[in-house]
């Protein structure tokens, strides 16, 4: 039986500096069907439409989620993008 992991990227993209920012992520949503105890990796592109370099920390709201984000802290220079890896692991049993 396959388990559907739906991760909606409502990231807590927390800039280390506090001011108005123009950021985004693509894709905004990842739907993955995984068999129990299987892993997949997806790339997400973070873009900065501001002129200034911005630093971010990305986290997952659920501490029990089997999601790894690499790198979890990164900098995106002005008017550019940065790719991050999201690794998803299904639990031992399907639900």
């Amino acid at each position: 039986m396959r388990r559907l992991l739906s991760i909606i990227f409502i990231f807590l993209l927390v800039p280390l500096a506090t001011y108005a920012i123009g950021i985004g992520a693509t894709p905004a949503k990842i739907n993955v069907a995984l068999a129990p105890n299987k892993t997949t990796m997806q790339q997400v592109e973070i873009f900065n439409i501001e002129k200034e370099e911005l630093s971010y920390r990305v986290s997952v709201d659920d501490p029990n989620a089997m999601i790894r984000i690499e790198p979890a802290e990164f900098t995106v220079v002005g008017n550019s993008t940065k790719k991050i890896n999201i690794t998803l692991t299904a639990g031992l049993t399907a639900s």
Side-chain angles (χ1 to χ4, degrees):
M1 203 171 183
R2 296 178 72 83
R3 181 179 180 170
L4 178 64
L5 295 178
S6 293
I7 307 303
I8 299 174
F9 285 94
I10 303 174
F11 282 163
L12 293 178
L13 290 173
V14 181
L16 299 179
T18 307
Y19 51 90
I21 55 174
I23 61 167
T26 184
K29 180 178 180 179
I30 296 176
N31 288 317
V32 179
L34 288 175
N37 206 33
K38 295 296 180 183
T39 299
T40 188
M41 192 274 299
Q42 302 286 319
Q43 277 197 333
V44 175
E45 190 170 31
I46 307 298
F47 50 91
N48 173 8
I49 61 171
E50 297 293 324
K51 293 178 184 176
E52 297 82 19
E53 179 178 279
L54 298 172
S55 296
Y56 301 96
R57 215 179 355 238
V58 183
S59 64
V60 178
D61 287 339
D62 182 358
N64 297 318
M66 297 177 78
I67 302 170
R68 188 172 67 237
I69 302 168
E70 294 176 330
E73 293 187 28
F74 54 91
T75 299
V76 183
V77 297
N79 296 312
S80 68
T81 62
K82 171 79 174 179
K83 291 183 180 178
I84 60 172
N85 296 322
I86 310 294
T87 303
L88 309 166
T89 303
L92 293 175
T93 59
S95 56

